[in-house]
Amino acid sequence: MATGATWRRDAVARHHLRDVARDPAMPTFTPDDLMDDGGPSEGHVVIYDDDHFYMGGVLAELLIARGCSVTLVTPATCVSEWTGFTLEQRFIQTRLLEAGVDVRVTRALASVGADHVSLSCTYTGREEPMSADAVVLVTSRVGDDALYRGVLEQRDIWPDAGIRSVRLIGDAEAPAPIAWATYAGRRYAEELDGADRGDIVPFRREIAALSET
């Protein structure tokens, strides 16, 4: 079962392990909303990016194209920090700055008010307000495993239905980049009807270890 995942609306991710205070009067969106053609089309939008991959920058460009003014806030020291491993970071940040996106680094989302957000410095903790008409939270995702859990509760009828086993794969098991979800599908097909390997991969890999001598 590969039933996917949804983006969180509570700002929980790498920096915040608990929900931040949010006023329900502030329009708050996730990447899912914008990808469904929803979200703001005008005004000042604050994107809080604690995902650190490509999504925050992509949505910033989308909102600029819609006519919004955009501030991208991230607790990292640069935009899309993880893309430093894929050699894209410099190009992403340059493109956003040239598009007119206001970039605020080393700033975390402290709270969301009715007409503003409060940002806190990741080094000093000092807070500063910023007016906003809407907020987009690009934080973490939660796997949708409701169908999987429901099927597990009906194990007693599996034999009559011809079901030998049920596995959860892809984003439903552990939200990750598209490439990882694609690999999960391929791996399941290759191991179909075989023993469940768990975390053991079906290919040789080099594993570094410290010698005692």
Side-chain angles (χ1 to χ4, degrees), residues 151-166:
V151 171
L152 289 183
E153 293 174 356
Q154 303 181 58
R155 287 178 182 271
D156 56 330
I157 67 171
W158 287 9
D160 293 337
I163 299 175
R164 296 172 55 185
S165 65
V166 175

Side-chain angles (χ1 to χ4, degrees), residues 20-24 26-28 109-118 135 137:
V20 300
R22 290 174 293 128
D23 191 312
M26 172 66 77
T28 304
L109 186 67
S111 63
V112 178
D115 58 359
H116 71 285
V117 297
S118 291
V135 174
L137 298 175

